[in-house]
Amino acid sequence: MIIVSGPSGAGKGTLIRRMHERFPFLRTAISATTRPMRPTEKDGREYHFLSEDEFLAHVADGDFLEHVIYAGNRYGTLRSEVDRHLHHGDSVVLEIELRGARALRDALPDAVTIFIEPPSRDELVRRLRARDTEAEADIQVRLAESLVELEASQEFNYQVRNDDLDAATAEMARIVDAVTRSS
Ligand code: ADP
Ligand code: 5GP
């Protein structure tokens, strides 16, 4: 299991997509969320998009390995998503924020953790605005979260600085290659 974390806008999704192109055996556990779907997203592909009631029903049933409220919406890792892939012996990638990563790291000590760092705070702001998926108020909440997240980067097994995308891709590929070979 590979846990990928880092501030919103650092490039986690972009880098993970590139890892799937290079390592076709990688599987991503699809999280559940209550946040609104972006125009580019599809239910069941980026997330299982749930209503608040649906999400809370999963919480009550103990279906989540971990779940948090982040920037006003709920996010959670479904046990079934992780088990489905692990049973097949596949390597599972999880993209989650800091509190979820901490909870899973404690629950799954064999997990390898990777932190994606932006080159600077200004560049993080630029990327979030350029992505154009959140309103300015939501961007500000994500930036506030990023201050806490960046402080925790050293808790992770690996740090990948995503300045030049191709260099970061190569760096992450080296890590994924090493991790999946030895597991
Ligand atoms: P995250 O999943 O961490 O929130 P994304 O992968 O959505 O971040 O990336 C945020 C934005 O920054 C996207 O528009 C993406 O295309 C862009 N981006 C990602 N990596 C780089 C990079 N190295 N240089 C410039 N832009 C980048
Ligand atoms: P976004 O709304 O940009 O897709 O995601 C916001 C944050 O939630 C990101 O840091 C992302 O990694 C995190 N996230 C996505 N799925 C989960 C999950 O299942 N659990 C936790 N704890 N965080 C998640």
PDB file of all heavy atoms in Angstrom, residues 44-62:
ATOM      1  N   GLY A  44     -17.617   7.384  -9.293  1.00  0.00           N
ATOM      2  CA  GLY A  44     -17.038   6.044  -9.349  1.00  0.00           C
ATOM      3  C   GLY A  44     -15.655   6.021  -9.978  1.00  0.00           C
ATOM      4  O   GLY A  44     -14.973   5.005  -9.956  1.00  0.00           O
ATOM      5  N   ARG A  45     -15.224   7.130 -10.570  1.00  0.00           N
ATOM      6  CA  ARG A  45     -13.875   7.187 -11.154  1.00  0.00           C
ATOM      7  C   ARG A  45     -12.939   7.955 -10.218  1.00  0.00           C
ATOM      8  O   ARG A  45     -12.041   7.368  -9.642  1.00  0.00           O
ATOM      9  CB  ARG A  45     -13.909   7.834 -12.546  1.00  0.00           C
ATOM     10  CG  ARG A  45     -12.562   7.726 -13.271  1.00  0.00           C
ATOM     11  CD  ARG A  45     -12.614   8.289 -14.667  1.00  0.00           C
ATOM     12  NE  ARG A  45     -12.904   9.725 -14.642  1.00  0.00           N
ATOM     13  CZ  ARG A  45     -13.285  10.428 -15.707  1.00  0.00           C
ATOM     14  NH1 ARG A  45     -13.446   9.842 -16.878  1.00  0.00           N
ATOM     15  NH2 ARG A  45     -13.510  11.723 -15.597  1.00  0.00           N
ATOM     16  N   GLU A  46     -13.166   9.251 -10.021  1.00  0.00           N
ATOM     17  CA  GLU A  46     -12.333  10.009  -9.071  1.00  0.00           C
ATOM     18  C   GLU A  46     -12.757   9.706  -7.629  1.00  0.00           C
ATOM     19  O   GLU A  46     -11.926   9.568  -6.746  1.00  0.00           O
ATOM     20  CB  GLU A  46     -12.427  11.511  -9.331  1.00  0.00           C
ATOM     21  CG  GLU A  46     -11.607  11.981 -10.506  1.00  0.00           C
ATOM     22  CD  GLU A  46     -12.300  11.732 -11.838  1.00  0.00           C
ATOM     23  OE1 GLU A  46     -13.479  11.307 -11.815  1.00  0.00           O
ATOM     24  OE2 GLU A  46     -11.663  11.941 -12.886  1.00  0.00           O
ATOM     25  N   TYR A  47     -14.050   9.665  -7.418  1.00  0.00           N
ATOM     26  CA  TYR A  47     -14.616   9.405  -6.082  1.00  0.00           C
ATOM     27  C   TYR A  47     -15.951   8.702  -6.238  1.00  0.00           C
ATOM     28  O   TYR A  47     -16.573   8.747  -7.302  1.00  0.00           O
ATOM     29  CB  TYR A  47     -14.936  10.732  -5.354  1.00  0.00           C
ATOM     30  CG  TYR A  47     -13.751  11.508  -4.842  1.00  0.00           C
ATOM     31  CD1 TYR A  47     -13.281  12.626  -5.527  1.00  0.00           C
ATOM     32  CD2 TYR A  47     -13.123  11.152  -3.646  1.00  0.00           C
ATOM     33  CE1 TYR A  47     -12.205  13.370  -5.053  1.00  0.00           C
ATOM     34  CE2 TYR A  47     -12.041  11.889  -3.169  1.00  0.00           C
ATOM     35  CZ  TYR A  47     -11.587  12.983  -3.874  1.00  0.00           C
ATOM     36  OH  TYR A  47     -10.520  13.711  -3.396  1.00  0.00           O
ATOM     37  N   HIS A  48     -16.404   8.104  -5.141  1.00  0.00           N
ATOM     38  CA  HIS A  48     -17.818   7.777  -5.002  1.00  0.00           C
ATOM     39  C   HIS A  48     -18.453   9.021  -4.382  1.00  0.00           C
ATOM     40  O   HIS A  48     -18.158   9.361  -3.230  1.00  0.00           O
ATOM     41  CB  HIS A  48     -18.014   6.563  -4.086  1.00  0.00           C
ATOM     42  CG  HIS A  48     -17.354   5.324  -4.617  1.00  0.00           C
ATOM     43  ND1 HIS A  48     -17.806   4.664  -5.737  1.00  0.00           N
ATOM     44  CD2 HIS A  48     -16.273   4.633  -4.195  1.00  0.00           C
ATOM     45  CE1 HIS A  48     -17.030   3.621  -5.981  1.00  0.00           C
ATOM     46  NE2 HIS A  48     -16.090   3.583  -5.054  1.00  0.00           N
ATOM     47  N   PHE A  49     -19.245   9.716  -5.160  1.00  0.00           N
ATOM     48  CA  PHE A  49     -19.848  10.960  -4.671  1.00  0.00           C
ATOM     49  C   PHE A  49     -21.141  10.618  -3.920  1.00  0.00           C
ATOM     50  O   PHE A  49     -22.084  10.086  -4.505  1.00  0.00           O
ATOM     51  CB  PHE A  49     -20.118  11.909  -5.846  1.00  0.00           C
ATOM     52  CG  PHE A  49     -18.854  12.451  -6.443  1.00  0.00           C
ATOM     53  CD1 PHE A  49     -18.255  11.819  -7.536  1.00  0.00           C
ATOM     54  CD2 PHE A  49     -18.231  13.572  -5.906  1.00  0.00           C
ATOM     55  CE1 PHE A  49     -17.060  12.302  -8.072  1.00  0.00           C
ATOM     56  CE2 PHE A  49     -17.036  14.057  -6.436  1.00  0.00           C
ATOM     57  CZ  PHE A  49     -16.460  13.423  -7.531  1.00  0.00           C
ATOM     58  N   LEU A  50     -21.140  10.922  -2.615  1.00  0.00           N
ATOM     59  CA  LEU A  50     -22.259  10.531  -1.755  1.00  0.00           C
ATOM     60  C   LEU A  50     -22.931  11.763  -1.152  1.00  0.00           C
ATOM     61  O   LEU A  50     -22.302  12.812  -0.984  1.00  0.00           O
ATOM     62  CB  LEU A  50     -21.759   9.656  -0.596  1.00  0.00           C
ATOM     63  CG  LEU A  50     -20.973   8.382  -0.932  1.00  0.00           C
ATOM     64  CD1 LEU A  50     -20.609   7.648   0.355  1.00  0.00           C
ATOM     65  CD2 LEU A  50     -21.777   7.465  -1.851  1.00  0.00           C
ATOM     66  N   SER A  51     -24.202  11.591  -0.802  1.00  0.00           N
ATOM     67  CA  SER A  51     -24.880  12.617  -0.008  1.00  0.00           C
ATOM     68  C   SER A  51     -24.381  12.498   1.435  1.00  0.00           C
ATOM     69  O   SER A  51     -23.765  11.489   1.811  1.00  0.00           O
ATOM     70  CB  SER A  51     -26.391  12.401  -0.052  1.00  0.00           C
ATOM     71  OG  SER A  51     -26.690  11.204   0.646  1.00  0.00           O
ATOM     72  N   GLU A  52     -24.657  13.525   2.207  1.00  0.00           N
ATOM     73  CA  GLU A  52     -24.292  13.496   3.633  1.00  0.00           C
ATOM     74  C   GLU A  52     -24.896  12.259   4.320  1.00  0.00           C
ATOM     75  O   GLU A  52     -24.212  11.552   5.069  1.00  0.00           O
ATOM     76  CB  GLU A  52     -24.812  14.794   4.278  1.00  0.00           C
ATOM     77  CG  GLU A  52     -24.491  14.968   5.733  1.00  0.00           C
ATOM     78  CD  GLU A  52     -23.091  15.511   5.983  1.00  0.00           C
ATOM     79  OE1 GLU A  52     -22.355  15.830   5.014  1.00  0.00           O
ATOM     80  OE2 GLU A  52     -22.717  15.584   7.168  1.00  0.00           O
ATOM     81  N   ASP A  53     -26.160  11.973   4.047  1.00  0.00           N
ATOM     82  CA  ASP A  53     -26.825  10.827   4.684  1.00  0.00           C
ATOM     83  C   ASP A  53     -26.185   9.509   4.269  1.00  0.00           C
ATOM     84  O   ASP A  53     -26.005   8.606   5.095  1.00  0.00           O
ATOM     85  CB  ASP A  53     -28.318  10.806   4.329  1.00  0.00           C
ATOM     86  CG  ASP A  53     -29.085  11.875   5.089  1.00  0.00           C
ATOM     87  OD1 ASP A  53     -28.487  12.503   5.993  1.00  0.00           O
ATOM     88  OD2 ASP A  53     -30.269  12.095   4.765  1.00  0.00           O
ATOM     89  N   GLU A  54     -25.877   9.402   2.999  1.00  0.00           N
ATOM     90  CA  GLU A  54     -25.242   8.150   2.527  1.00  0.00           C
ATOM     91  C   GLU A  54     -23.888   7.962   3.202  1.00  0.00           C
ATOM     92  O   GLU A  54     -23.534   6.862   3.627  1.00  0.00           O
ATOM     93  CB  GLU A  54     -25.047   8.198   1.001  1.00  0.00           C
ATOM     94  CG  GLU A  54     -26.340   8.038   0.216  1.00  0.00           C
ATOM     95  CD  GLU A  54     -26.172   8.375  -1.265  1.00  0.00           C
ATOM     96  OE1 GLU A  54     -25.276   9.182  -1.623  1.00  0.00           O
ATOM     97  OE2 GLU A  54     -26.952   7.845  -2.068  1.00  0.00           O
ATOM     98  N   PHE A  55     -23.133   9.059   3.286  1.00  0.00           N
ATOM     99  CA  PHE A  55     -21.800   8.981   3.896  1.00  0.00           C
ATOM    100  C   PHE A  55     -21.927   8.545   5.363  1.00  0.00           C
ATOM    101  O   PHE A  55     -21.226   7.639   5.827  1.00  0.00           O
ATOM    102  CB  PHE A  55     -21.095  10.337   3.790  1.00  0.00           C
ATOM    103  CG  PHE A  55     -19.613  10.290   4.057  1.00  0.00           C
ATOM    104  CD1 PHE A  55     -18.706  10.351   3.008  1.00  0.00           C
ATOM    105  CD2 PHE A  55     -19.121  10.189   5.358  1.00  0.00           C
ATOM    106  CE1 PHE A  55     -17.329  10.308   3.246  1.00  0.00           C
ATOM    107  CE2 PHE A  55     -17.763  10.143   5.607  1.00  0.00           C
ATOM    108  CZ  PHE A  55     -16.860  10.204   4.545  1.00  0.00           C
ATOM    109  N   LEU A  56     -22.857   9.194   6.077  1.00  0.00           N
ATOM    110  CA  LEU A  56     -23.013   8.884   7.512  1.00  0.00           C
ATOM    111  C   LEU A  56     -23.503   7.463   7.735  1.00  0.00           C
ATOM    112  O   LEU A  56     -23.175   6.834   8.747  1.00  0.00           O
ATOM    113  CB  LEU A  56     -23.942   9.905   8.163  1.00  0.00           C
ATOM    114  CG  LEU A  56     -23.341  11.316   8.254  1.00  0.00           C
ATOM    115  CD1 LEU A  56     -24.345  12.299   8.844  1.00  0.00           C
ATOM    116  CD2 LEU A  56     -22.055  11.311   9.083  1.00  0.00           C
ATOM    117  N   ALA A  57     -24.272   6.931   6.784  1.00  0.00           N
ATOM    118  CA  ALA A  57     -24.720   5.533   6.899  1.00  0.00           C
ATOM    119  C   ALA A  57     -23.505   4.601   6.817  1.00  0.00           C
ATOM    120  O   ALA A  57     -23.408   3.612   7.571  1.00  0.00           O
ATOM    121  CB  ALA A  57     -25.725   5.206   5.789  1.00  0.00           C
ATOM    122  N   HIS A  58     -22.541   4.932   5.935  1.00  0.00           N
ATOM    123  CA  HIS A  58     -21.308   4.122   5.857  1.00  0.00           C
ATOM    124  C   HIS A  58     -20.499   4.241   7.151  1.00  0.00           C
ATOM    125  O   HIS A  58     -19.890   3.275   7.595  1.00  0.00           O
ATOM    126  CB  HIS A  58     -20.448   4.563   4.673  1.00  0.00           C
ATOM    127  CG  HIS A  58     -20.925   4.042   3.350  1.00  0.00           C
ATOM    128  ND1 HIS A  58     -20.961   2.693   3.054  1.00  0.00           N
ATOM    129  CD2 HIS A  58     -21.370   4.668   2.241  1.00  0.00           C
ATOM    130  CE1 HIS A  58     -21.409   2.522   1.813  1.00  0.00           C
ATOM    131  NE2 HIS A  58     -21.678   3.709   1.307  1.00  0.00           N
ATOM    132  N   VAL A  59     -20.488   5.443   7.727  1.00  0.00           N
ATOM    133  CA  VAL A  59     -19.773   5.622   8.998  1.00  0.00           C
ATOM    134  C   VAL A  59     -20.408   4.718  10.053  1.00  0.00           C
ATOM    135  O   VAL A  59     -19.709   3.971  10.763  1.00  0.00           O
ATOM    136  CB  VAL A  59     -19.827   7.094   9.472  1.00  0.00           C
ATOM    137  CG1 VAL A  59     -19.221   7.229  10.871  1.00  0.00           C
ATOM    138  CG2 VAL A  59     -19.090   8.001   8.490  1.00  0.00           C
ATOM    139  N   ALA A  60     -21.734   4.758  10.131  1.00  0.00           N
ATOM    140  CA  ALA A  60     -22.451   3.961  11.143  1.00  0.00           C
ATOM    141  C   ALA A  60     -22.206   2.471  10.948  1.00  0.00           C
ATOM    142  O   ALA A  60     -22.130   1.711  11.921  1.00  0.00           O
ATOM    143  CB  ALA A  60     -23.947   4.277  11.072  1.00  0.00           C
ATOM    144  N   ASP A  61     -22.064   2.063   9.693  1.00  0.00           N
ATOM    145  CA  ASP A  61     -21.848   0.638   9.404  1.00  0.00           C
ATOM    146  C   ASP A  61     -20.377   0.221   9.557  1.00  0.00           C
ATOM    147  O   ASP A  61     -20.037  -0.938   9.336  1.00  0.00           O
ATOM    148  CB  ASP A  61     -22.311   0.310   7.979  1.00  0.00           C
ATOM    149  CG  ASP A  61     -23.831   0.353   7.851  1.00  0.00           C
ATOM    150  OD1 ASP A  61     -24.507   0.360   8.908  1.00  0.00           O
ATOM    151  OD2 ASP A  61     -24.339   0.396   6.712  1.00  0.00           O
ATOM    152  N   GLY A  62     -19.517   1.162   9.898  1.00  0.00           N
ATOM    153  CA  GLY A  62     -18.090   0.836  10.069  1.00  0.00           C
ATOM    154  C   GLY A  62     -17.396   0.530   8.757  1.00  0.00           C
ATOM    155  O   GLY A  62     -16.433  -0.245   8.725  1.00  0.00           O
TER     156      GLY A  62
END
